[in-house]
Amino acid sequence: IKYKTLGWPVVAVLMITEIVSNGMLSLPSALASVGMVPGILVILFLGAFATYTAWALIEFKLRHPEGK
């Protein structure tokens, strides 16, 4: 893959797949370490944080369409 020539939609898909796959592989070990209730709370917090970050990146891209 030539990363320097990718468009932002392809980069977004690559980032999402990387994040999801890494989380899926480490989730059982993490929940076994901290327990079910704290693990679920952390998952909810990180999900909210990821949603806010995605929203901020989308808003930035929409305000600056000239950037590639």
Side-chain angles (χ1 to χ4, degrees), residues 13-37:
V13 169
L14 286 174
M15 289 176 64
I16 290 169
T17 56
E18 180 182 342
I19 291 167
V20 169
S21 65
N22 287 337
M24 294 296 272
L25 292 173
S26 64
L27 190 58
S29 174
L31 287 178
S33 297
V34 299
M36 188 62 85
V37 174

